[in-house]
Amino acid sequence: NAGVTQTPKFQVLKTGQSMTLQCAQDMNHEYMSWYRQDPGMGLRLIHYSVGAGITDQGEVPNGYNVSRSTTEDFPLRLLSAAPSQTSVYFCASSYSTSGNTEAFFGQGTRLTVV
Amino acid sequence: ILNVEQSPQSLHVQEGDSTNFTCSFPSSNFYALHWYRWETAKSPEALFVMTLNGDEKKKGRISATLNTKEGYSYLYIKGSQPEDSATYLCARDSNYQLIWGAGTKLIIKP
C-alpha cells in the first residue's frame, strides 16, 4: 500500500517564487490536511478538507492555497514564498472527519526559502 | 484555538527503566485524544486514539490512559529499549481539527 505520498522531499525556493506541494492518498480517506512543523512547536494546521470540493482554513493559512478536486489529491500551493515559510510540511489523511480515527502522514517536505 | 501541553519537553531514560509522560488538554467539548510516535527523519505514526473517559489502551510495552474530566492523558513505556527513542506527540480534536502538543523527546541511554 502506498498510503500517503507527498512530493517533493526537499525544495529550495527564492523569495517570491511560487510552488505546489503534492499530496495523494490511496486509502479513500475523506479527511486530508496540511501541517507545518517548526522547531519547538507542535504541528500547526494550515488547511484541511473534509471531502472532495470542500476545504477550510486551519490555524496558519496565510500565504497558502489548497484545492480538493478529487478524494485522492490535496495539493498545497505557496503563492509567493517568504523566508517565514521555511519549514517542514506534512500532509496527512484519515478515514473519518470526526477526529476519532488515526491520521496517516506523508514523508514530509523540507522547504527552505532564501 | 485550544492549547495542548506536553511534559516534560525531553526525557533521558536508562535502558530497561520504565517511564511516563503527560499530555494536558482542555476538557470541554472533548471527543478524541491521539498519541503518535515520531522517529527522526520519519513521519509520525499513530499509537492510540482514545475517546472514552477512563479508557486504557496498550500496544506491546506502551500503554496510555485517558481522563477527560480533568483533561489529561498519560503515556507509559515499560522496560525502555533503544528503539523507543523518538518524539511522542499527543493531539486533541477540535471542530474537524487536531490540535497538537509540542511533543516529548525520549532518549534511551544504553
Side-chain angles (χ1 to χ4, degrees):
Chain A
N1 287 340
V4 180
T5 303
Q6 188 183 331
T7 56
K9 203 165 182 180
F10 301 96
Q11 183 72 49
V12 178
L13 287 179
K14 292 183 180 177
T15 297
Q17 284 185 315
S18 62
M19 79 158 294
T20 299
L21 278 62
Q22 301 292 344
C23 178
Q25 52 91 9
D26 62 358
M27 298 174 282
N28 202 32
H29 285 174
E30 286 298 319
Y31 188 91
M32 295 186 75
S33 53
W34 276 101
Y35 295 95
R36 59 178 289 171
Q37 201 275 320
D38 299 295
M41 303 183 78
L43 293 166
R44 291 186 294 166
L45 184 65
I46 304 171
H47 286 283
Y48 66 96
S49 169
V50 297
I54 307 169
T55 64
D56 207 344
Q57 296 181 351
E59 183 185 353
V60 290
N62 292 341
Y64 309 94
N65 270 0
V66 290
S67 59
R68 184 101 180 265
S69 55
T70 66
T71 299
E72 295 77 20
D73 299 298
F74 190 46
L76 177 73
R77 280 181 286 279
L78 278 72
L79 308 172
S80 176
S84 61
Q85 293 179 304
T86 294
S87 188
V88 180
Y89 292 84
F90 285 97
C91 176
S93 73
S94 55
Y95 176 74
S96 167
T97 61
S98 59
N100 65 345
T101 57
E102 66 183 275
F104 292 82
F105 285 83
Q107 52 268 65
T109 298
R110 186 172 292 275
L111 175 67
T112 303
V113 183
V114 297
Chain B
I1 295 288
L2 52 81
N3 236 16
V4 176
E5 305 282 346
Q6 290 189 248
S7 61
Q9 196 171 9
S10 65
L11 194 52
H12 288 72
V13 172
Q14 200 70 40
E15 183 177 350
D17 286 353
S18 297
T19 187
N20 65 84
F21 26 93
T22 307
C23 175
S24 303
F25 52 86
S27 55
S28 59
N29 299 318
F30 175 86
Y31 192 66
L33 191 282
H34 295 227
W35 280 102
Y36 290 77
R37 172 192 161 87
W38 192 0
E39 292 181 71
T40 304
K42 294 188 177 180
S43 304
E45 290 185 347
L47 289 170
F48 308 113
V49 179
M50 308 169 79
T51 57
L52 299 175
N53 185 45
D55 212 359
E56 185 169 338
K57 296 216 172 183
K58 190 174 179 184
K59 187 182 283 191
R61 293 179 292 100
I62 304 177
S63 61
T65 60
L66 179 66
N67 183 322
T68 61
K69 294 186 190 306
E70 296 181 41
Y72 64 84
S73 176
Y74 295 134
L75 190 80
Y76 300 90
I77 302 178
K78 190 176 175 182
S80 303
Q81 299 297 310
E83 59 265 28
D84 295 328
S85 292
T87 296
Y88 291 83
L89 304 173
C90 70
R92 208 214 93 154
D93 78 288
S94 174
N95 195 28
Y96 297 113
Q97 304 181 34
L98 283 178
I99 309 300
W100 297 80
T104 293
K105 184 170 184 176
L106 178 65
I107 299 162
I108 307 301
K109 300 179 288 185

